[in-house]
Structures are given as structure tokens and as C-alpha cells.
Amino acid sequence: MTISKQRSPGLPQARGELSAALIGHLRGDAGPLPDESAVARATPYGDDLQLALYLGYELHYRGFDGVDDAREWDPALIAVRGLLEDRFLTALREDAKRDHDVDDAFDELLVEPVHGTGVSYFLQDEGELWQLREYAVQRSLYHLKEADPHAWVLPRLWGRAKAGMAAVEFDEYGGGRAERVHAKLFADLMEDLGLDTAYGRYVDAASAQMLATVNLMSLLGLRRSLRGALLGHFATLEVTSSPSSRRMALAMKRAGAGAAAEFFYTEHVEADAVHEQVVRHEVIGGLLEQEPELAPDVVFGVDATVFLEDRFGDHLLGHWQARKSSLRTPLPQ
């Protein structure tokens, strides 16, 4: 396989009127951008709205090939993104709402079911190589920029919360070693699985459910007012990562995926077990010691993350158990 080395990905294919209008605008077309009524008609978790949001957010990461970097702060695009975000946020606040406090929310995350039924359990027990490859394709939208959405919160913290968050992020970025940056480790995993490691390569193949999980990180990271929710989101990933990574490492080993594929997850078993303690006690604890009024936002970050991850898991398992591809564009056999 030829692995693309371009720095910025090309623009993806549109999935509806919203994403088509944004892609046209980024290409320099003169057509109108979506208005409030067009956004209101869109399904909040659907392909079109989620891809449109993704397009807006990626301008803050690596951008797109052939699109001027100045588009990052295009006032018209920022205005449309605000409409899309509000539609997404409103739906999440309604659908992910739970009646519990911070301690209860994290206590629930720490409970490992005796007979788990999630994606990592399925892949550990009966996952096949084609399913592991699809999982890597979907997750590549996040893992090839792992830690980047969360780095935006650092200037918005101070004291214990800032120090703890910086310590965890330092580990995510390889502790100063380029070959240990977690995004690089995931690219190594993809190579073991025979996948293209280019950033953004598989956006067209990824499901709306995966786009939504990635968009949540960017949405929370880019809004200072949602810093508490971003930390709730980040803590959820860290608390749940170690046990699920253990299962994923076993799945990779059983399927013969390769040493690098196994290593990505074994690295997370140990690292995230430590991170979970730092995030809960220093980052979340430090934040709420300084700004106790942000507790409801932390809970929202937890609940929104769990809600979207559950939707993504249901999508994967529903397709795989029916022996169907979870991707919009299946991988070549």
C-alpha cells in the first residue's frame, strides 16, 4: 500500500445540503451558506450536520488541502458553526441528561460489569481481523490527533487542575519523545493492520456516530464556557480506557494484528490507570475546588460522552453482528 504523506487532507464528499454548502464555500464557490432554518431541519446526530461541524472544526487542526489557512476565522463560517453547535448541544442536553452528581457519575464509570456487552468485549471474545481494521478506521478520526482537542483547555485552568492536566497531556504527547506520541503509536497500529496512516484519510468512510464523538471533543475544547464539560469528557475517557484497552490488546493478539497494534493498547493499560487517578483527584478535584459552580458542566461532559459512545458502540455491534460493514465505504478485502 502507498501511504500518503500530505500534511492536510483533501475535502471530503458532502453528505447533504449543509456539508455541501460548507465544502463549496471552502472551495471558493459563491453559493449561500446554510441559515438557521436549514440547520433546524437537520437531524442533530445525522451525517450531514455532523460532517458540516467536522469541516468547521478541522480548520483549527490541520485544515484541508487547497483551503487557505485564513478560513479558520472566516466570520461567515464561524457563524454557521455556531448554529450547528447549538443544534447539537441542545439535543445532547436533552438526550444525555441524567439525574446524578459528580461523584455518582464517576462511580458509575468505575463499575465493570460481570458480563460486559460493549465493543471491546465483543472484539476480545470473537472479533475478526476485518472488524478490528474497521474499528481502527473509525477511531483514526480521533487517535491521529489524540490529546489535541483537550490541549485547548490548558490556558483556561490554573493551580492543581492546570498542573494535573499538563502532566497527563505530556504523557499523551510521548513525554517529549516523538516516537512515543500516542498519535504516532496509533499510526503504527494502522500500519500493522494494512491501513493508510494519512491524517483524515478515512473521513468519508467514517460513520456519523463516530463523527459525533470527535465533534464533541472539539466543541467542548473550543468553548471556554464549557471547560468543565471538557474535563468531564476527558476524565470519562481516562477512567474507562485502561480496562477497555486491556481487552483490545487481547483482541489484537488473538487476531494476529501485529506487535504495534498490541502495543498501542498495552501502553494505554498502564498509562491510563495512572491518568485516571490524576484526572479525578487533581484535574477534576482542583477545578471544583476553585470553581464549584462548574460541577453540573462536569457531569454533562461525562453524560454526553457516555451517550455518544454508546450510540457509536450500538452502530458497530449492530452491523458486525449482522455480518455487515460499519463503514460508509467498506475496506477492500
Side-chain angles (χ1 to χ4, degrees):
M1 170 179 290
T2 300
I3 305 298
S4 172
K5 298 298 183 183
Q6 68 182 49
R7 180 181 150 203
S8 301
L11 285 164
Q13 296 295 312
R15 302 189 188 184
E17 64 170 323
L18 301 179
S19 51
L22 265 69
I23 290 169
H25 187 79
L26 292 172
R27 285 176 173 157
D29 297 346
L33 284 167
D35 58 15
E36 191 170 357
S37 62
V39 174
R41 291 193 300 270
T43 304
Y45 310 120
D47 277 296
D48 192 25
L49 187 142
Q50 290 301 324
L51 180 60
L53 257 184
Y54 183 86
L55 290 163
Y57 290 143
E58 282 303 304
L59 297 172
H60 297 293
Y61 294 101
R62 299 197 198 178
F64 295 101
D65 188 40
V67 175
D68 192 330
D69 286 345
R71 290 288 195 182
E72 179 182 9
W73 297 109
D74 181 329
L77 284 174
I78 295 294
V80 173
R81 196 187 78 198
L83 295 175
L84 298 167
E85 286 179 335
D86 288 345
R87 181 87 171 99
F88 186 32
L89 262 180
T90 298
L92 280 175
R93 290 195 184 280
E94 180 64 29
D95 296 336
K97 187 175 182 179
R98 301 274 310 280
D99 184 18
H100 54 185
D101 61 18
V102 172
D103 288 338
D104 288 341
F106 284 112
D107 286 346
E108 290 174 18
L109 292 176
L110 288 166
V111 175
E112 279 282 295
V114 176
H115 302 291
T117 58
V119 171
S120 63
Y121 289 95
F122 173 85
L123 291 174
Q124 172 191 252
D125 296 337
E126 54 186 294
E128 299 175 31
L129 193 59
W130 70 271
Q131 294 161 334
L132 291 171
R133 296 180 79 232
E134 286 198 359
Y135 187 74
V137 164
Q138 299 260 21
R139 288 295 192 191
S140 70
L141 271 64
Y142 165 58
H143 281 307
L144 290 180
K145 62 176 174 222
E146 186 170 343
D148 291 350
H150 305 114
W152 280 318
V153 82
L154 285 169
R156 296 157 184 180
L157 304 174
W158 62 93
R160 286 170 55 207
K162 190 185 193 87
M165 190 69 187
V168 174
E169 287 285 271
F170 184 64
D171 284 350
E172 301 285 352
Y173 289 123
R177 297 169 57 189
E179 74 277 9
R180 295 298 293 262
V181 172
H182 284 189
K184 171 63 168 63
L185 297 181
F186 193 79
D188 294 342
L189 172 151
M190 294 180 74
E191 285 191 353
D192 262 3
L193 293 172
L195 300 169
D196 192 330
T197 65
Y199 183 92
R201 163 66 177 81
Y202 293 111
V203 172
D204 283 329
S207 64
Q209 290 83 356
M210 185 61 221
L211 285 173
T213 69
V214 176
N215 285 338
L216 177 67
M217 303 178 200
S218 299
L219 189 162
L220 300 179
L222 285 166
R223 289 196 179 193
R224 183 181 181 279
S225 62
L226 292 173
R227 61 195 179 280
L230 181 68
L231 292 186
H233 162 79
F234 185 64
T236 303
L237 298 185
E238 296 299 321
V239 167
T240 58
S241 174
S242 186
S244 65
S245 291
R246 184 176 291 106
R247 291 187 287 273
M248 288 301 302
L250 291 172
M252 292 292 176
K253 183 175 184 178
R254 187 175 58 77
E262 286 183 51
F263 181 74
F264 175 80
Y265 288 107
T266 56
E267 168 75 4
H268 280 71
V269 172
E270 182 176 346
D272 290 346
V274 175
H275 292 172
E276 179 236 313
Q277 295 297 315
V278 175
V279 172
R280 283 199 70 188
H281 299 294
E282 297 303 314
V283 180
I284 300 295
L287 175 78
L288 296 182
E289 181 179 72
Q290 296 160 340
E291 301 182 276
E293 69 278 7
L294 295 184
D297 288 343
V298 172
V299 173
F300 170 66
V302 173
D303 292 345
T305 304
V306 171
F307 173 75
L308 291 177
E309 286 289 342
D310 284 349
R311 290 184 76 257
F312 177 57
D314 289 345
H315 169 79
L316 294 179
L317 293 177
H319 282 73
W320 291 344
Q321 289 168 349
R323 307 297 297 173
K324 297 179 180 178
S325 173
S326 67
L327 302 174
R328 298 179 77 250
T329 307
L331 294 171
Q333 296 298 315

